[in-house]
Amino acid sequence: MGTRQSPHQREDRVVQMPADGPAAAFCGLDIFSGLGAAERQRLAAVIKTVAVSRGDILIRQGDEADALYIVVSGRFSVTKQGSPHPVAEIGPGQPVGEIAFLSGCARTATVTALRDSLVQRLTRDDFDAIARRDPGIWRALTVTLAERLAATTAASVPPPDPKPRTIAVIRAGGSQFVEAFVSGLQTAFVQRARTLVVTHESAARLLGTTELASPAATSALNALESSHDVVILVADHGLTPWTEKVIHHADLVLSVGRHGSDPAQNAIEELAAKLIAPDAQRLVLLHQTKTRVTGTADWLRVRNVAMHHHVALDNAADFERLVRFINGEARGLVACGG
């Protein structure tokens, strides 16, 4: 995954939004609870909304803490140097980098967008200008920060939930889309979770906009996730703006092809390979019915995926097994003698 510059270095990505919405939520954070109404209002006046693309680094470990953020919509991964796995995930309504910002320390972790997201940003310069006018703001924030640090130290932070919330279904190889696969996958998920399928045809109605690259579309997609356990995003046949949005927003990508069709990687899969880590990609090969499997190596030779699955379209058990693998709940049997 490519590394992009921090959004505070890209003024063209600032989104104009009403200050009485997300900005009010920003100033409602508990770190600002000790401030008076006038001080919070002055903070709200300088807060900006920033669009962050999947893969963007919001803050980088070791950098100067020059801004404080709160997540409006989307999700971010928190990683630390020397740790092979993310140490936490940050979602809507949560602050990012507040301890380093208020204490003046360097960033202690790297925070990366797991999908297209929106954040509110308060810069160091804007905060310092307000603090010069109201010096008491520092004392109020220091007290609250100390309380938060004590609570954080005492709390045990649970690891990120391994279950994907948004699943992209894209076309693999030279295959055509098979609607029966999407229907079978939805049926298997509905049995255990609140599930929504979003296609290009239904996207405009569900998102309330046809501008897929807009912050409004990003926010609406994240809102759909918050009201469902699983959102299945079905890409177009070709590399369209909707297909790109689907890949940008996915926790997991299922590349779905018909066994026996051309296994060469297509342009949609190439984009997914650039944006999505291999451990969040699966290859699914479809069969009309249960049959002897051959030729799988031809598909795997040109793809770097975590797993591959064979699914018979007329077998509900295959779909249920696929869902168990997706959720990390696959069943196994270990037998030994002696």
Side-chain angles (χ1 to χ4, degrees), residues 10-30:
R10 299 184 55 172
E11 291 302 323
D12 58 320
R13 301 179 66 189
V14 172
V15 180
Q16 298 301 322
M17 297 182 72
D20 59 349
F26 189 114
C27 293
L29 290 174
D30 60 353

Side-chain angles (χ1 to χ4, degrees), residues 81-202:
Q81 293 176 4
S83 176
H85 304 292
V87 296
E89 286 186 3
I90 301 173
Q94 294 181 287
V96 182
E98 75 280 13
I99 293 177
F101 180 80
L102 296 176
S103 65
C105 300
R107 302 294 193 188
T108 59
T110 296
V111 178
T112 306
L114 290 173
R115 65 182 57 166
D116 290 356
S117 305
L118 296 176
V119 297
Q120 291 282 325
R121 184 187 75 206
L122 173 64
T123 67
R124 167 71 62 193
D125 290 343
D126 285 335
F127 178 76
D128 286 347
I130 294 173
R132 284 194 294 271
R133 176 174 177 176
D134 300 299
I137 193 172
W138 271 113
R139 184 177 183 283
L141 292 178
T142 301
V143 171
T144 305
L145 178 60
E147 294 173 348
R148 283 177 59 84
L149 283 171
T152 301
T153 302
S156 176
V157 179
D161 186 350
K163 295 180 182 179
R165 298 287 301 279
T166 54
I167 300 171
V169 178
I170 67 174
R171 183 173 60 84
S175 306
Q176 299 292 321
F177 263 133
V178 181
E179 292 183 1
F181 171 77
V182 176
S183 177
L185 184 66
Q186 180 182 17
T187 298
F189 266 115
V190 164
Q191 296 175 5
R192 61 179 69 202
R194 296 172 299 166
T195 304
L196 175 69
V197 173
V198 184
T199 64
H200 194 172
E201 290 72 23
S202 63

Side-chain angles (χ1 to χ4, degrees), residues 179-262:
E179 292 183 1
F181 171 77
V182 176
S183 177
L185 184 66
Q186 180 182 17
T187 298
F189 266 115
V190 164
Q191 296 175 5
R192 61 179 69 202
R194 296 172 299 166
T195 304
L196 175 69
V197 173
V198 184
T199 64
H200 194 172
E201 290 72 23
S202 63
R205 173 176 55 83
L206 292 170
L207 303 182
T209 178
T210 58
E211 298 295 329
L212 297 175
S214 68
T218 296
S219 184
L221 272 174
N222 286 315
L224 288 178
E225 180 193 340
S226 68
S227 58
H228 297 83
D229 299 312
V230 176
V231 178
I232 300 172
L233 303 171
V234 183
D236 289 330
H237 179 79
L239 192 55
T240 64
W242 171 247
T243 296
E244 293 181 8
K245 190 66 174 178
V246 162
I247 294 172
H248 271 264
H249 205 78
D251 294 332
L252 176 71
V253 172
L254 299 181
S255 298
V256 182
R258 271 197 177 275
H259 186 267
S261 62
D262 181 5

Side-chain angles (χ1 to χ4, degrees), residues 4-59:
R4 302 188 180 99
Q5 61 187 329
S6 300
H8 61 268
Q9 296 173 316
R10 299 184 55 172
E11 291 302 323
D12 58 320
R13 301 179 66 189
V14 172
V15 180
Q16 298 301 322
M17 297 182 72
D20 59 349
F26 189 114
C27 293
L29 290 174
D30 60 353
I31 57 172
F32 297 123
S33 60
L35 302 181
E39 293 166 329
R40 291 198 298 270
Q41 185 175 2
R42 279 190 282 274
L43 286 174
V46 297
I47 290 167
K48 295 179 175 63
T49 301
V50 180
V52 188
S53 297
R54 183 191 189 106
D56 274 3
I57 292 179
L58 186 65
I59 61 176

